[in-house]
Amino acid sequence: ALAPRCGWVLPGLEQRLAVPAVLSPATARPYAAATKTAKKDAKRSRQEKVKEKPPPRRRPLMAKPVDDVYLTWLYRRPSYELEQAVGMLKKFQQLDFTSPKQFVYINVYLDMALQKKKKVDPFSSSVTLPHRFTDEVNKVLVFTENEQEAAVAREHGAAIVGGVELIKWILEDEIQADFYVAVPAIVPKLIPLRNKLKRKYPSIRRNSLGSDIPKMLQFFRECHEYTVENENIIKTRIARLDMPTEHIIANLKTVIHDICTFKPSNFDPIVRSLVIRSSTSEGLLLNLDGILPQVEKVEEEEEKNLVDEDQQKPVQESFST
């Protein structure tokens, strides 16, 4: 502020230099505090206005469209009976001139919730369909060190048969199979494969561990496998479109009933929604009535009967007295 060359002081500088060196922010800038307070008040008022503003009303979805051409997101997605949906898929194929031997798929959306924060873990399963839709045969490996059992396994269509010597080749991915089965005597020696095979490791629960080698081979060579993807979705093929409608329905119900066994019946059904489609068609949402197993309803009826009996007992006793 001083001009040392000229040796004079600018006008009014003496008064400024007389001001104490240490000043509070409010004293140094008298309008700063007022400006901050005004900004805070304005911000609060804007937030209050946003809170007071009612949320935008979403137009309720309409049930059925009137015209042939319409905006799909303005209407509820229609659901169809299973037999009706299969008939529509067959008509789509005829109108589109696509292959009649294309596969039929289902997308199953699951409710995995249990009590509190518990849920059903993602799973995979194998099931024998009542009507086969492909000539493909699964490649099955049989673990056994008994020569007679090995001979039986080869006679019934085992792709690979062997003992402990196969472990090294499996760990190095030199040998691969669709399914692995074993006899109880060799299981303690297969522990090094547990992490490698994971869900395909032979076990009693998956019916891949036992002494009846022909029965295990017949099942796993012809079975149909499905797996839960993305924690709650199963996408699998179940038939070919040129099969009779009743065969497609039977295969679908077999898969759905097997899926329902992975959640206790006293909880909500594990199947939340079900979509059927072919390789070239759109997906059709199915009505679940008549598709899911009726175990829960039977249990409810039994409970009601027990309650009715309990209520009738005191009345009968009163009459007898």
Side-chain angles (χ1 to χ4, degrees):
L2 297 176
R5 293 182 182 179
C6 300
W8 55 276
V9 182
L10 294 175
L13 186 59
E14 294 179 353
Q15 295 179 359
R16 296 181 183 179
L17 293 175
V19 177
V22 180
L23 298 174
S24 63
T27 308
R29 294 188 296 171
Y31 299 103
T35 304
K36 288 183 179 180
T37 305
K39 288 182 178 179
K40 289 182 179 179
D41 294 340
K43 188 176 180 180
R44 288 176 183 172
S45 62
R46 286 196 300 269
Q47 291 177 351
E48 291 176 356
K49 288 181 180 179
V50 172
K51 291 181 180 179
E52 293 176 358
K53 186 178 179 181
R57 293 184 177 180
R58 187 174 180 179
R59 184 176 179 181
L61 297 177
M62 293 176 280
K64 293 183 179 180
V66 179
D67 301 323
D68 295 335
V69 180
Y70 58 92
L71 300 175
T72 56
W73 60 81
L74 295 179
Y75 296 86
R76 298 174 187 170
R77 187 175 182 179
S79 62
Y80 304 93
E81 298 297 329
L82 179 53
E83 187 173 355
Q84 178 187 8
V86 174
M88 292 174 66
L89 294 181
K90 290 179 178 291
K91 287 183 179 179
F92 293 159
Q93 178 270 320
Q94 295 174 359
L95 294 174
D96 296 337
F97 297 99
T98 55
S99 173
K101 294 185 177 182
Q102 59 186 294
F103 290 114
V104 177
Y105 297 84
I106 56 172
N107 295 351
V108 189
Y109 300 88
L110 307 177
D111 179 9
M112 309 286 275
L114 294 174
Q115 289 180 348
K116 297 180 180 180
K117 295 183 179 180
K118 296 181 180 180
K119 62 178 182 179
V120 180
D121 295 328
F123 55 88
S124 62
S125 181
S126 302
V127 62
T128 301
L129 298 178
H131 306 283
R132 296 197 65 200
F133 59 91
T134 177
D135 295 331
E136 298 175 2
V137 178
N138 299 319
K139 185 178 180 181
V140 184
L141 184 149
V142 179
F143 288 106
T144 180
E145 292 181 326
N146 186 297
E147 294 182 0
Q148 294 180 353
E149 292 176 342
V152 171
R154 293 188 186 95
E155 290 176 2
H156 287 80
I160 303 171
V161 182
V164 182
E165 70 277 3
L166 299 178
I167 295 178
K168 177 183 176 181
W169 302 107
I170 295 173
L171 291 175
E172 295 178 356
D173 293 329
E174 295 292 335
I175 293 177
Q176 294 179 349
D178 298 318
F179 297 97
Y180 302 81
V181 301
V183 295
I186 199 174
V187 169
K189 301 178 182 180
L190 302 180
I191 294 177
L193 293 176
R194 185 181 294 274
N195 293 332
K196 179 67 175 180
L197 299 182
K198 296 180 180 179
R199 293 177 180 173
K200 293 186 177 182
Y201 186 79
S203 67
I204 296 176
R205 185 171 61 86
R206 296 186 181 90
N207 298 319
S208 57
L209 176 61
S211 301
D212 194 344
I213 295 177
K215 182 178 179 181
M216 291 190 294
L217 282 171
Q218 182 181 2
F219 174 77
F220 286 105
R221 290 181 77 244
E222 300 179 357
C223 71
H224 176 72
E225 185 180 23
Y226 63 86
T227 305
V228 176
E229 305 173 8
N230 301 324
E231 296 187 353
N232 66 338
I233 302 175
I234 294 175
K235 299 179 180 180
T236 183
R237 57 187 187 180
I238 59 167
R240 288 190 183 273
L241 196 57
D242 61 343
M243 292 172 60
T245 300
E246 57 271 17
H247 291 184
I248 299 176
I249 293 175
N251 284 359
L252 183 144
K253 288 186 176 181
T254 300
V255 175
I256 294 300
H257 286 207
D258 188 70
I259 293 172
C260 291
T261 60
F262 285 88
K263 189 175 183 180
S265 59
N266 55 338
F267 291 94
D268 293 334
I270 191 171
V271 178
R272 190 178 67 222
S273 60
L274 176 60
V275 175
I276 188 172
R277 65 178 180 85
S278 67
S279 301
T280 59
S281 74
E282 62 177 293
L284 301 176
L285 182 65
L286 295 178
N287 186 354
L288 296 178
D289 294 339
I291 298 178
L292 300 183
Q294 304 296 324
V295 177
E296 296 181 359
K297 293 184 178 180
V298 172
E299 291 180 354
E300 291 178 359
E301 291 178 359
E302 290 179 355
E303 291 179 358
K304 290 181 180 179
N305 293 334
L306 291 174
V307 172
D308 295 338
E309 290 178 0
D310 292 338
Q311 291 177 352
Q312 291 176 2
K313 284 181 180 178
V315 177
Q316 293 176 356
E317 291 176 357
S318 62
F319 279 116
S320 61
T321 54

